[in-house]
DNA sequence: TTGTAGGCGTTATCAG
DNA sequence: CTGATAACGCCTACAA
């Protein structure tokens, strides 16, 4: 593998000049530039970005940690981040935390060792030690899908509390009084936790007493929703509607409900959260709270780049979400036995 | 930011020793080791993997190029790759080619500059220039979701021809004679192309004459399937079954078919390809050819690591796929008007 | 406009 | 078991 030294020798110039034609071609006379470029071709010169990063102390790489790239929401925001990053000639290293704090901490550490210029984290624990240590080091990072509205850390997300409230309100307005919630585990997703709070508040505002048997926490996965719905329907006093704290859970719930013989949406209304694309393609199509995942990725990347550029003061951006009413939620009807 | 020099000074040893306690702690006396470790803590030493890579000429990073991380199959194999890689302390840089050759070429180039140790590519063009140049440079890489069964390039995939054949055969065995195919564009996905060949062969083997109006090429996206099915149903002689060359297309087709008033699966049988998880959660649940995406990722990574380790001779692995029969395909019935 | 030379943080090779 | 020192490929003052 040839280096700028080889090129320099071949072109009869110094390595500095070669470096210049690479980084600021206009600063070198066009004749010299031509010679150098020709020499580069001749020895099939390949630029070494690592060596560059080593001296400039910029790797032009950012680290991205998502809970699980398998979930379409995260794939979507990842896409937004990547598109934005590649526009700026930045690469992204991807890591999955699987909603586990220790894995997340490990990833952060590895990425730091790799000298990433910044970090975008969809964290399992916004107040965890690694976040704090990042802050102490003044390392540029932003939290994505965040519930944080102020403070020292940059964050982009939506108001999950409000989202939970609106989802529940939608069901209430359809006449439902007995409303279950299938939620991602609180100890692992504060998003889920906030949505639950919104749910509770909405119930209270509408004089529906909170029933703790109507909350189920589970893994964020299709299968989780599927099992939980069955558990709900085993109850003496079944819910007539369910709020699932993400779409995957909701899709699973639809499946599970069918498996125990329910007719949807008549027998059970289901609302999701996220607004993944596939949710509009299933039957019944899923009513959901849609968050702008792709845009969130873009904005998250943008915020990060600000931080990287001028060590800006922390920024929080709360994006708008939208209730998308589809077929999976309908007016409450007293069941006829 | 402190370096091993600082640590060395503080501990009263040489940098070589510090390096040793990092890389092979057992090669240094435990007393010295203790001193060094203590010193590392004191100056909050952070290891610089970039510098290491610079001298060892290993970045411990591989590049992964997928068409679009948004498609659950690719997310799934990505997960397989990542799990395998992180087990070996390797990070992965992700890039989306969007099925475009020039973007793919650009990504390969950038990754090479970044000194990745290897490349996993789900390519838009298995015979393109960048692949050949990789080969010339003896650079370790493997093609994923490949249709290649022999030759100089390492590849992991399934037999798409056979897959297309079996999908079609399933429909034929259900009595369908007029079978449409919605395919990803051939100029961009040779997988799709091979599946189509299998489709054609199967028709011929069953004395069904090939009708070119029954092939539609489109973008690999939900919307593509949705539009194409409508186009098919506008035909004078409609198909009674459709083979979609991936599940996203099929899910889109289901949606589209409903929108024009068809009752599924009675009015139209639909079979997909890939076996993404969500396909079993929709209604009607999707019959499909399931390929082991996660495993493919793992195996792909494994093959790559072989290449990286001992510049092994090229390896091709054809994995097994499986026809999963679900609700979306049913026995052909003469339509009653 | 171009060249010289030092340095970035780590590892590897030899001695000791 | 430990230390000195020369790389690695590139960038960037500074000098010419």
């Amino acid at each position: 593998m040839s280096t700028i030294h080889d090129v320099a020798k071949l072109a009869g110039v110094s390595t500095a000049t070669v470096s210049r034609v690479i980084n600021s071609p206009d600063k070198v006379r066009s004749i010299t530039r031509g010679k150098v470029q020709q020499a580069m071709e001749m020895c099939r010169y390949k630029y070494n970005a690592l060596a560059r990063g080593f001296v400039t102390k910029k790797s032009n790489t950012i680290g991205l940690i998502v809970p699980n790239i398998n979930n379409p929401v995260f794939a979507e925001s990842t896409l937004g981040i990547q598109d934005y990053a590649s526009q700026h000639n930045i690469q992204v290293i991807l890591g999955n935390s699987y909603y586990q704090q220790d894995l997340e901490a490990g990833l952060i550490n590895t990425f730091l060792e790799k000298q990433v210029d910044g970090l975008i984290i969809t964290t399992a624990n916004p107040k965890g030690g690694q976040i704090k240590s990042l802050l102490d080091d003044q390392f540029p990072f932003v939290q994505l899908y965040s519930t944080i509205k102020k403070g020292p850390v940059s964050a982009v997300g939506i108001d999950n509390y409000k989202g939970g409230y609106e989802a529940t309100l939608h069901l209430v307005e359809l006449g439902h009084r007995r409303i279950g919630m299938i939620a991602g585990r609180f100890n692992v997703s504060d998003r889920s936790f906030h949505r639950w709070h919104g749910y509770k508040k909405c119930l209270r505002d509408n004089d529906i007493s909170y029933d703790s048997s109507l909350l189920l926490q589970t893994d964020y996965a299709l299968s989780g929703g599927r099992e939980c719905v069955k558990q709900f329907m085993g109850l003496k006093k079944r819910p007539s509607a369910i709020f699932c704290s993400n779409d995957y859970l909701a899709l699973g719930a639809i499946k599970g409900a069918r498996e125990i013989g329910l007719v949807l949406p008549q027998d059970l209304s289901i609302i999701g959260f996220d607004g993944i694309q596939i949710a509009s393609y299933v039957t019944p199509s899923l009513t959901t709270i849609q968050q702008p995942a792709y845009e969130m990725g873009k904005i998250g990347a943008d915020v990060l780049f600000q931080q990287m550029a001028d060590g800006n003061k922390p920024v929080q951006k709360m994006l708008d979400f939208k209730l998308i009413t589809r077929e999976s939620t309908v007016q409450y009807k007293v069941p006829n036995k």
Side-chain angles (χ1 to χ4, degrees), chain A residues 182-184 218-226 244-254 270:
Chain A
I182 301 178
T218 182
D219 291 334
Y220 263 146
L222 287 161
S223 55
R226 184 176 174 184
C244 296
S245 75
N246 85 5
D247 283 351
Y248 253 34
L249 249 23
L251 263 18
I254 288 180
I270 294 176

Side-chain angles (χ1 to χ4, degrees), chain A residues 24-25 35 41 52 55 66 72 74 78 85 105 112 122 144 171 175 185 192 203 209 224 226 242 250 292 304-305 324:
Chain A
S24 37
K35 275 194 301 186
E41 303 247 318
R52 172 178 218 260
V55 13
V66 297
F74 297 129
T78 297
L112 253 27
T122 301
L144 212 62
L171 297 173
R185 297 189 196 290
S192 177
L203 293 184
S209 64
R226 184 176 174 184
I242 298 179
L304 178 63
F305 285 20
I324 311 270

Side-chain angles (χ1 to χ4, degrees), chain A residues 132-143:
Chain A
K132 223 162 68 193
S133 128
L134 246 25
L135 226 39
D136 289 346
D137 293 348
Q138 304 218 55
F139 190 84
F141 77 102
V142 2
Q143 287 190 198

Side-chain angles (χ1 to χ4, degrees), chain A residues 177-195:
Chain A
R177 305 282 300 172
R178 204 157 166 72
I179 301 172
M181 176 165 180
I182 301 178
R185 297 189 196 290
F186 296 158
N187 62 345
V188 116
S189 165
D190 69 324
R191 297 175 279 288
S192 177
F193 184 68
H194 281 83
R195 289 166 198 174

Side-chain angles (χ1 to χ4, degrees), chain A residues 60 113 127 146 153 243 263:
Chain A
N60 294 313
E113 288 188 349
K127 289 169 186 161
S146 170
V153 357
F243 166 35
V263 178

